[in-house]
Amino acid sequence: MINEVSCVREIKKREVNYDWMRVFAMSMVILNHIADWYLLRMAEPSRLVYLCEGLSHCAIPLFLMLTGAFMIDKAAKESPKTFYLRSLKKLGIPFLIFMFIYYAYDLYNKNITWENVLKGFITGFHGLYAHWYVVMLAAVYAFLPLVGLIKRSVDLKAYQKGVVVFFIWVMAGHYFESSNVVWSLANMYFLGYVLFGNILKEKLYGIKNNVFGILFVLLGMGILVINHSFFLYRKVINGGDYFDKLLNLYGAPFIILSSVIIFVGFSLLTIKKGISMISELSYIIFLCHKLFIDIMGINFWKHIEQFFQGKLYFIIPVEWIIIFALSLLFSMFFNWVLKMTVYKIV
């Protein structure tokens, strides 16, 4: 039996505010993919769908900054072999299982061909489900032991200045380049988020203010809403490109700014109520939720749309709750199966 004192210590050790940030980011990913369902099917753009798309575009940057906040120092303390093997076990095994499930589902329903499957492998699953993120993350993880070694070997202030320069450099450079191959070094601007999250966490360590924290989170979300539901929306209805690099991708100025502000906001929060169970399942939820959206979209969404008479401000929240609940329950079961079988072997 764990006594109350040890429970309090565990909550402090986990830094509960970052657990909440991880769950928030995971929730935004689900919102993004539900909004995508309507974005791809609507004859005319809906401002509400763009609002949801905008709110959710902080998710990937937040996940990456959280990776930097915790994994760089861990990589510095372990041998590269230990770090890679542990990461492969934690991230690689669930990914491989879900990769098989997704492709089996799509091939069975004739949504893709074997040619599409092969192309997905070559491009690192560019634009496919959550797969692309895992491949990109693997490329980032490949550099973390080196980053940890550099951080451990140089003056901390010099390292922090170097990270800021690198962050600005790769984000600005991303505007002038693009890649259809996820594992390409052209996508190393994602590493910029990881490095920046690491130094932000250190700079903000011990600084707590719930009022400012909440204001920062709301400010960041407000910037995202304005960016998508006003600037990007107007651009698209006037014939512009939805994938505008200045407004919509993860290197877009307002998305960078808002994501950093939201990260700072959560870092300032003092939260007593733990949410570690859901936080620990966030990766599996991330992997499985898109499949549930596709299955429910084909078989069930039309009934919700009819019930709410096409009013998206009711439909999207209801669908978000359904997908979140289904993904959470499945992830609990899936994680239990992994612990009872695969993880015992490896």
Side-chain angles (χ1 to χ4, degrees):
M1 181 69 69
I2 301 175
N3 59 40
E4 185 176 349
V5 174
S6 62
C7 285
V8 172
R9 286 175 180 170
E10 176 65 18
I11 289 174
K12 289 182 178 179
K13 181 181 178 181
R14 284 198 59 87
E15 297 183 89
V16 177
N17 53 326
Y18 290 112
D19 278 341
W20 280 93
M21 192 196 305
R22 186 172 286 105
V23 173
F24 171 79
M26 177 263 294
S27 301
M28 291 297 100
V29 172
I30 295 175
L31 178 64
N32 176 254
H33 287 145
I34 290 175
D36 282 348
W37 177 266
Y38 293 101
L39 182 70
L40 296 172
R41 286 162 176 77
M42 299 185 75
E44 296 182 3
S46 164
R47 192 182 291 271
L48 177 64
V49 171
Y50 275 65
L51 185 152
C52 294
E53 288 277 333
L55 272 178
S56 60
H57 266 62
C58 63
I60 296 301
L62 288 179
F63 273 135
L64 291 169
M65 286 189 280
L66 282 166
T67 296
F70 293 99
M71 298 309 297
I72 288 178
D73 293 332
K74 187 171 291 187
K77 297 175 183 177
E78 299 177 345
S79 69
K81 180 180 179 180
T82 301
F83 176 76
Y84 291 140
L85 289 176
R86 182 175 51 78
S87 301
L88 181 63
K89 176 182 176 181
K90 180 180 178 181
L91 303 176
I93 292 175
F95 169 65
L96 291 174
I97 295 172
F98 277 106
M99 182 179 69
F100 174 80
I101 293 172
Y102 273 91
Y103 275 135
Y105 172 80
D106 275 343
L107 288 168
Y108 176 77
N109 288 282
K110 298 181 180 179
N111 296 327
I112 59 172
T113 64
W114 283 106
E115 184 181 353
N116 298 136
V117 175
L118 179 60
K119 184 179 179 182
F121 278 101
I122 293 172
T123 63
F125 309 105
H126 182 264
L128 288 173
Y129 318 119
H131 299 2
W132 75 269
Y133 175 82
V134 182
V135 174
M136 175 275 294
L137 195 62
V140 167
Y141 266 59
F143 287 91
L144 292 190
L146 177 60
V147 172
L149 176 63
I150 294 172
K151 182 180 179 182
R152 190 174 55 190
S153 304
V154 303
D155 177 73
L156 181 59
K157 288 186 177 180
Y159 169 80
Q160 292 172 342
K161 290 178 181 177
V163 166
V164 172
V165 171
F166 179 82
F167 184 72
I168 296 172
W169 183 0
V170 293
M171 290 301 172
H174 177 65
Y175 178 75
F176 299 99
E177 64 184 4
S178 60
S179 174
N180 291 322
V181 180
V182 175
W183 45 263
S184 168
L185 292 181
N187 291 313
M188 278 298 97
Y189 76 100
F190 287 115
L191 180 60
Y193 277 119
V194 176
L195 298 178
F196 203 59
N198 179 250
I199 65 169
L200 274 178
K201 182 177 183 294
E202 291 180 346
K203 286 289 187 180
L204 295 168
Y205 181 77
I207 303 175
K208 298 295 179 184
N209 189 307
N210 280 353
V211 173
F212 278 104
I214 293 171
L215 288 176
F216 269 91
V217 172
L218 293 176
L219 174 61
M221 294 173 69
I223 293 172
L224 289 168
V225 168
I226 292 171
N227 181 69
H228 266 66
S229 64
F230 182 75
F231 294 120
L232 183 61
Y233 177 78
R234 288 177 61 88
K235 185 177 183 68
V236 172
I237 62 174
N238 288 318
D241 183 13
Y242 175 77
F243 296 102
D244 186 291
K245 282 192 172 183
L246 278 176
L247 294 174
N248 193 23
L249 302 182
Y250 298 118
F254 283 130
I255 292 176
I256 297 170
L257 176 63
S258 59
S259 300
V260 169
I261 289 173
I262 291 172
F263 185 91
V264 171
F266 273 102
S267 297
L268 295 177
L269 294 177
T270 300
I271 304 175
K272 295 181 180 180
K273 180 66 175 178
I275 197 172
S276 61
M277 186 272 288
I278 300 177
S279 177
E280 290 170 353
L281 293 172
S282 61
Y283 178 63
I284 299 176
I285 294 173
F286 180 83
L287 290 175
C288 75
H289 76 278
K290 187 66 168 60
L291 184 60
F292 285 117
I293 291 176
D294 289 348
I295 293 172
M296 298 296 286
I298 294 172
N299 300 292
F300 190 62
W301 283 171
K302 60 184 177 182
H303 300 295
I304 295 179
E305 291 163 8
Q306 291 171 358
F307 181 81
F308 289 108
Q309 300 178 342
K311 296 176 181 177
L312 289 178
Y313 48 83
F314 288 126
I315 294 170
I316 290 178
V318 169
E319 291 176 352
W320 179 90
I321 292 170
I322 292 172
I323 295 300
F324 182 90
L326 284 174
S327 301
L328 177 60
L329 291 172
F330 179 80
S331 297
M332 292 170 66
F333 171 74
F334 183 83
N335 192 52
W336 176 80
V337 171
L338 283 180
K339 288 181 178 179
M340 294 296 104
T341 57
V342 179
Y343 286 160
K344 280 191 174 183
I345 298 173
V346 298

